[in-house]
Amino acid sequence: MSRTPLISGNWKMHLNHLEAIQLCQKLSYELARHRYDQVEVSLHPPFIDLRSCQTVIDADRLEFKLGAQNCHDQSKGAYTGEVSPSMLAKLDVSYVIVGHSERRALFNETDEFIAAKAAAVAKAGMTPIVCVGETLEERESGQAAAVVTTQLRGSLAKLTRASFETLVVAYEPVWAIGTGRNASPEDAQDMCATARNVIDDIRRGTGEHVRIQYGGSVKPANAHELLRQPDIDGALVGGASLDAVQFARIVHAAT
Ligand code: PEP
């Protein structure tokens, strides 16, 4: 089964809309000869930058997919400060990250809420990138696989079988995010293979279709070794995605 790798840049709470436009343009220059049918690229700017990035992508016919970092599960209503899946779909957003460990830890997002968001994203015609991953304490006490299994079962619980065909899961060990300390390619492969088995157990026959990204301090120097692992189908990149040259080198490492 061949799965097209997906390299996603999570810009987090960085860059205003003018800086975001500049990064899109720099990236299009760095990836001028990139074959997007071989490796997909999605960019996940802050909400307020989405319209500007969409306009540049559209006007310059760039082949990046637009992504969001989060959304609410309701389509509209009295949810001050929130953004709905249908609003994102209207902006040509293709991928929405849900359940990032920063949202789980800093905003108390539960598997149940993440499951509702993932289902709402899929219902609005977009693809959720559902994040899972263990803390250092959980890894050191031998619970990594159990934690990720519980997160997957909870966070994917409300997705239809059809949504599993396009679903993306990101395995991101919390201790590797933004720390400069990545999981070894062997450990990352091991956890992604475990995640694939769990996914297949949740919906039989879908494990081989689901793309599983690795995330956690992916840099040009470690990208190739991580991305050549059989169960790693791309990367969710934080810090290095803010630098066009570094991000492009990670994309190239996937080809
Ligand atoms: C992330 O934001 O999901 C991430 C993996 O960040 P970083 O690449 O900076 O570790």
Side-chain angles (χ1 to χ4, degrees):
M1 171 82 210
S2 79
R3 295 177 295 265
T4 307
L6 172 66
I7 308 293
S8 304
N10 175 15
W11 296 358
K12 308 196 187 193
M13 199 172 71
H14 294 287
L15 310 184
N16 62 41
H17 72 289
L18 298 174
E19 294 164 334
I21 290 171
Q22 275 184 349
L23 184 51
C24 285
Q25 288 169 334
K26 278 188 196 160
L27 264 173
S28 85
Y29 175 78
E30 293 298 331
L31 291 171
R33 281 184 294 282
H34 178 64
R35 292 275 313 271
Y36 290 86
D37 56 335
Q38 289 178 4
V39 179
E40 248 188 293
V41 176
S42 67
L43 305 180
H44 301 250
F47 285 137
I48 56 127
D49 299 347
L50 281 170
R51 177 68 173 140
S52 305
C53 292
Q54 183 223 10
T55 306
V56 180
I57 288 172
D58 203 35
D60 296 352
R61 293 196 166 79
L62 306 182
E63 293 183 71
F64 309 133
K65 298 277 169 54
L66 194 54
Q69 301 174 17
N70 179 35
C71 68
H72 200 266
D73 68 318
Q74 298 298 307
S75 56
K76 61 181 165 183
Y79 301 99
T80 302
E82 293 292 327
V83 171
S84 80
S86 55
M87 292 170 182
L88 297 176
K90 199 75 182 162
L91 277 170
D92 299 336
V93 166
S94 304
Y95 293 99
V96 184
I97 298 170
V98 293
H100 190 280
S101 64
E102 287 153 16
R103 302 237 29 114
R104 289 176 184 265
L106 304 174
F107 301 97
N108 302 318
E109 290 196 3
T110 61
D111 284 334
E112 202 184 356
F113 191 30
I114 293 159
K117 291 184 189 213
V121 166
K123 197 167 168 220
M126 301 173 292
T127 299
I129 298 179
V130 178
C131 300
V132 294
E134 80 285 357
T135 62
L136 186 58
E137 207 181 13
E138 290 161 343
R139 170 152 286 263
E140 285 176 343
S141 59
Q143 295 175 67
V147 167
V148 165
T149 299
T150 303
Q151 289 176 334
L152 284 170
R153 290 195 181 283
S155 307
L156 305 181
K158 295 183 175 144
L159 287 174
T160 62
R161 186 180 179 87
S163 305
F164 275 72
E165 301 292 325
T166 51
L167 173 68
V168 179
V169 164
Y171 165 62
E172 300 205 296
V174 177
W175 47 272
I177 297 179
T179 58
R181 179 184 168 193
N182 62 287
S184 70
E186 296 73 27
D187 283 347
Q189 159 59 25
D190 212 42
M191 289 299 292
C192 290
T194 299
R196 194 174 305 288
N197 287 335
V198 174
I199 292 163
D200 202 65
D201 198 46
I202 299 171
R203 290 276 186 284
R204 288 265 175 244
T206 61
E208 62 174 341
H209 300 289
V210 173
R211 286 181 291 177
I212 304 181
Q213 299 176 308
Y214 165 78
S217 296
V218 176
K219 309 280 178 222
N222 59 26
H224 182 69
E225 270 308 302
L226 286 161
L227 291 167
R228 65 192 282 270
Q229 303 302 317
D231 284 294
I232 299 182
D233 310 314
L236 181 51
V237 185
S241 71
L242 295 169
D243 180 309
V245 174
Q246 282 200 42
F247 189 66
R249 285 176 62 198
I250 293 170
V251 173
H252 288 138
T255 25

